[in-house]
Amino acid sequence: MGTDQADIVVGIDLGTTNSLIAYVDGDTPKVLADTDGNLLVPSVVSFAEGKLLTGIDAKEHWVERAESTVYSIKRFMGRDSNEVGEDREYLPFAFEEDENRLIHIQLGSKTYTPPELSAMILRELKQRAEKHFGRPVNKAVITVPAYFNDTQRQATKDAGKIAGWDVLRIVNEPTAAALAYGLDRKEKQTVAVYDLGGGTFDISILKLSEGIFRVLATGGDTHLGGDDFDRQLMKYFAEKISAAGVSGPMDDPRAIQLLRQEAERVKIALSANSTANFLLTLPGKPEISGTISRDEFEEMIRPIAQRTAGPCKQALADAKLTPEDIDAVVLVGGSTRMPLIRELTERIFGQKPYTDLNPDEVVALGAAVQADILGGSRRDTLLLDVIPLSLGIETMGGVFSRLIHRNTTIPTSAQEMFTTFVDGQTSVDFHVLQGERELAADNRTLARFKLTGIPPLPAGIPRIAVQLMIDADGILQVKAQETRSKVEQSIEIRPSSGLTKDEVERMIDDSFDHAEEDFLARQTAEAITEAKSIIHAVEKSLRKNEDLISEAKRAMIASSMERLKKTMTDKDHGAIRDAIDHLDKVTHDVAEKILNRALHEAIKDTSVTGNQSAIE
Ligand code: AMP
């Protein structure tokens, strides 16, 4: 790779708990260690002794300076205080919100945003690299979870910039893991990346063909991981303690902490051995010791481990694949060292998983491979990812019009034509959303903007091209242009807040739960929009051609319009369609041919048809 003067590009795994920096040495990706040989930089920032500390130095102050030590900052990147939800428990330190509800964390006399705090970790990694290479190192690739939305990716990129990095690309963690195994150099194949860490589970399906590397689907569970296995062992220990007649261990926080540590130690020992001894030393209580077998342990954690199977099946279904289509399975995350997890993945995907690389380092190693590609040594590989939720805009009647569907590979773009609803309309408000529901109100607003300066023309005449473009980092640009006058407006979306993976999952689940009612609501909204525009056109024609229509006919049309208006208030789309048909019939033979034609021209012009929807 380019360790010459021209270009050093490094790969960074900016983790929730620990971060790593790696580069490709010759042909081999390597994680950079500090002078003491530590590979991991704890993702921790602390204010102590009048200064800010990061990494190992900060972690040392974790316990005695809990109130001024910040960890798990990745959970807050690109999210506002509303969206933090149950992750609030990870935020025991003081924080403020600004007018956009963005979090500012107090450390010493100053406050810092999550990107600024992440930047401190990224700066430590930068110093590590510069020490290693003995010269400035500015270019980096940073990994993020595949489910990170635009805002979270942008926040990560911002953190890189603040730290002085030129962030060449934001890469999905599973994509990096597959790269670490060199799977991009293989023949055409499909890969499953199974990532089980301490607190979260992620599954991704990637497809590699002819040098093109794509993420087909992602899924997982944000509350499933090694901590759950530890908890099962803690329960087992608690039973042993109570069987020994020792009372109340679970009420004492110190005792719980000791049980947790012993549980994790025993769990890790059982990954390598078929039995493990445990020793429970609780403050002021008699010691309790015993032995547990791997079989016993596996029995108690099997139901939890098996919960990873569901998201795997769902991701396969989303990718329209079966387990037989998977050519390689890659394991990431400390918990995948467990034999039970290896067996389980083997059963789910019908093959032995790749386990040669250290599951804690594999993402950083892959980031280094990507850095190497971008550094210019391997131009044959292009990395692509997918968007987690559909993107689109609101059209008349509050309908969500999808332009890009979820799980579409990025970079991508889509364009659709829209028009105006009212005669002489010179501006259009755009409402950009993401989500899976049929009505805009049920989805999530990303941005609103206005296209002004549209020439005043009859409704339905202006042609407004709306284009959505997502770059390789998942950052969205929306452009609207009136094609005759060429007036245009564009916006880069950096919404003030992001979404958690749980919320993404919930939004997808909601769309299934509400599929039927959403379908009806959309049909109704569309019928009402059409009815409104027809009433508008008929009223206009009646006014213009007053002398040509008999009283009797006018009364018939009026009563037909009343009927249509009533069905609109009743919100019954079948009745609305019938009433539209009725009005259509009643107006058919109105007066002479010329009036008839004029009337129908008007109806046609303002009707909402096909992919040319109207926007208010
Ligand atoms: P990660 O979030 O990827 O760093 O994974 C951390 C989780 O992996 C923690 O729950 C650890 O207890 C767990 N872990 C690490 N090594 C092992 C091992 N050898 N066997 C079982 N679990 C492990």
Side-chain angles (χ1 to χ4, degrees):
M1 100 140 211
T3 47
D4 56 8
Q5 286 306 106
D7 260 319
I8 297 173
V9 191
V10 292
I12 294 175
D13 171 6
L14 182 61
T16 309
T17 318
N18 293 299
S19 296
L20 297 89
I21 184 164
Y23 76 106
V24 174
D25 183 9
D27 249 351
T28 316
K30 286 184 180 158
V31 175
L32 285 175
D34 66 7
T35 38
D36 297 328
N38 297 306
L39 297 175
L40 306 179
V41 172
S43 305
V44 182
V45 178
S46 183
F47 183 79
E49 294 143 24
K51 57 178 192 241
L52 285 168
L53 302 172
T54 54
I56 291 176
D57 295 341
K59 199 174 170 182
E60 278 174 6
H61 293 82
W62 195 327
V63 180
E64 94 273 16
R65 290 196 146 265
E67 73 298 339
S68 57
T69 302
V70 182
Y71 52 91
S72 284
I73 204 66
K74 187 170 175 178
R75 290 177 186 267
F76 307 102
M77 292 285 276
R79 297 168 72 198
D80 73 19
S81 59
N82 267 350
E83 295 170 317
V84 168
E86 60 194 41
D87 285 336
R88 237 171 227 277
E89 72 182 74
Y90 292 89
L91 205 63
F93 24 84
F95 72 93
E96 298 165 0
E97 293 166 41
D98 64 15
E99 63 283 4
N100 296 320
R101 309 191 79 104
L102 291 181
I103 293 168
H104 293 249
I105 292 154
Q106 178 102 35
L107 280 184
S109 59
K110 286 178 75 180
T111 65
Y112 302 89
T113 60
E116 285 172 319
L117 292 165
S118 291
M120 295 177 198
I121 304 300
L122 290 168
R123 212 172 283 130
E124 175 167 341
L125 294 170
K126 193 163 188 283
Q127 283 160 4
R128 181 178 289 195
E130 292 180 344
K131 198 162 188 176
H132 177 88
F133 290 109
R135 63 191 175 94
V137 180
N138 297 316
K139 294 185 176 173
V141 164
I142 306 179
T143 60
V144 295
Y147 58 81
F148 255 30
N149 66 13
D150 296 339
T151 332
Q152 292 166 301
R153 285 163 198 269
Q154 188 63 53
T156 306
K157 223 174 173 178
D158 290 346
K161 269 190 214 148
I162 297 167
W165 286 110
D166 175 8
V167 183
L168 299 191
R169 189 165 288 188
I170 298 290
V171 178
N172 283 343
E173 289 161 10
T175 304
L179 276 177
Y181 277 104
L183 294 173
D184 56 314
R185 297 183 180 213
K186 300 236 166 174
E187 287 296 290
K188 196 169 165 163
Q189 62 171 326
T190 307
V191 185
V193 180
Y194 179 106
D195 180 349
L196 190 63
T200 59
F201 167 60
D202 294 306
I203 177 75
S204 309
I205 311 289
L206 316 177
K207 191 176 172 79
L208 299 128
S209 81
E210 291 155 18
I212 307 244
F213 199 154
R214 304 193 291 161
V215 181
L216 296 183
T218 65
D221 186 333
T222 39
H223 296 283
L224 181 58
D227 300 345
D228 297 293
F229 304 139
D230 298 346
R231 256 193 302 276
Q232 290 304 108
L233 265 181
M234 286 165 73
K235 275 191 214 156
Y236 169 85
F237 291 159
E239 280 161 22
K240 294 277 163 212
I241 291 164
S242 110
V246 178
S247 64
M250 298 309 247
D251 303 336
D252 174 356
R254 230 162 23 115
I256 292 173
Q257 192 50 28
L258 286 168
L259 285 189
R260 182 172 289 130
Q261 277 169 8
E262 184 63 354
E264 188 177 17
R265 191 194 64 76
V266 169
K267 172 186 78 174
I268 290 173
L270 287 173
S271 286
N273 308 301
S274 56
T275 61
N277 297 326
F278 58 85
L279 180 64
L280 312 175
T281 44
L282 299 175
K285 304 271 161 80
E287 280 186 351
I288 297 164
S289 61
T291 303
I292 179 169
S293 70
R294 185 191 288 164
D295 286 348
E296 280 176 276
F297 174 56
E298 290 185 345
E299 207 47 53
M300 61 177 88
I301 62 159
R302 186 165 280 119
I304 300 171
Q306 265 165 352
R307 274 170 45 207
T308 61
C312 292
K313 286 179 187 144
Q314 182 60 49
L316 282 170
D318 280 351
K320 300 194 175 54
L321 297 175
T322 63
E324 292 74 47
D325 297 316
I326 300 296
D327 303 305
V329 180
V330 171
L331 300 187
V332 180
S335 298
T336 62
R337 290 196 179 94
M338 295 170 63
L340 179 67
I341 295 298
R342 295 188 175 185
E343 274 164 35
L344 186 71
T345 50
E346 193 173 334
R347 247 200 337 272
I348 296 171
F349 295 103
Q351 63 199 284
K352 282 213 179 305
Y354 281 63
T355 54
D356 291 349
L357 296 175
N358 181 333
D360 297 322
E361 291 175 18
V362 62
V363 169
L365 296 173
V369 172
Q370 169 67 86
D372 192 35
I373 293 166
L374 294 174
S377 27
R378 302 195 312 172
R379 292 193 189 281
D380 53 332
T381 309
L382 174 67
L383 289 186
L384 299 170
D385 297 317
V386 296
I387 56 160
L389 289 169
S390 301
L391 296 165
I393 66 168
E394 177 173 352
T395 53
M396 278 302 301
V399 169
F400 176 53
S401 175
R402 276 186 186 75
L403 270 76
I404 300 176
H405 287 261
R406 97 182 181 87
N407 275 337
T408 299
T409 303
I410 56 170
T412 187
S413 70
Q415 179 171 307
E416 217 168 289
M417 300 304 292
F418 295 89
T419 187
T420 51
F421 183 66
V422 181
D423 289 342
Q425 188 176 335
T426 57
S427 71
V428 170
D429 287 315
F430 286 97
H431 183 190
V432 187
L433 301 122
Q434 69 184 158
E436 303 309 316
R437 302 284 299 272
E438 295 294 331
L439 295 186
D442 296 322
N443 289 317
R444 177 171 182 272
T445 297
L446 285 179
R448 291 176 191 270
F449 70 102
K450 206 181 193 88
L451 176 65
T452 52
I454 300 168
L457 290 167
I461 300 296
R463 289 173 54 74
I464 302 162
V466 175
Q467 198 182 23
L468 264 57
M469 287 159 287
I470 310 178
D471 68 13
D473 298 331
I475 291 164
L476 173 66
Q477 250 223 327
V478 185
K479 191 168 93 178
Q481 188 194 51
E482 201 285 308
T483 55
R484 283 184 185 80
S485 60
K486 304 271 184 256
V487 293
E488 73 169 53
Q489 181 71 48
S490 72
I491 181 169
E492 183 173 300
I493 299 204
R494 290 165 173 245
S496 61
S497 55
L499 278 183
T500 65
K501 187 176 173 195
D502 269 357
E503 284 158 338
V504 169
E505 277 167 14
R506 182 183 51 73
M507 286 168 80
I508 295 166
D509 286 350
D510 277 357
S511 73
F512 289 122
D513 294 347
H514 297 278
E516 205 176 319
E517 71 191 70
D518 276 9
F519 179 67
L520 281 176
R522 184 185 181 111
Q523 281 196 315
T524 308
E526 284 175 352
I528 289 176
T529 302
E530 194 173 334
K532 274 189 192 163
S533 91
I534 288 171
I535 289 170
H536 175 72
V538 171
E539 281 173 344
K540 195 168 128 192
S541 281
L542 287 180
R543 270 197 309 277
K544 256 171 79 182
N545 305 287
E546 227 173 337
D547 49 328
L548 297 172
I549 311 164
S550 70
E551 269 309 310
K553 192 73 197 178
R554 187 179 294 279
M556 271 175 74
I557 295 174
S559 116
S560 178
M561 280 205 290
E562 274 319 302
R563 171 180 159 189
L564 178 54
K565 285 178 186 166
K566 167 142 192 353
T567 60
M568 282 161 67
T569 17
D570 292 347
K571 301 203 161 156
D572 174 349
H573 74 93
I576 300 172
R577 294 271 170 217
D578 288 348
I580 289 175
D581 284 350
H582 186 262
L583 181 60
D584 204 30
K585 281 200 191 94
V586 172
T587 53
H588 236 277
D589 62 338
V590 146
E592 297 110 8
K593 256 189 186 165
I594 207 162
L595 171 63
N596 201 349
R597 196 181 313 127
L599 189 60
H600 280 271
E601 269 308 301
I603 293 173
K604 208 174 95 219
D605 269 350
T606 49
S607 295
V608 180
T609 50
N611 60 0
Q612 181 151 328
S613 308
I615 303 179
E616 267 175 316

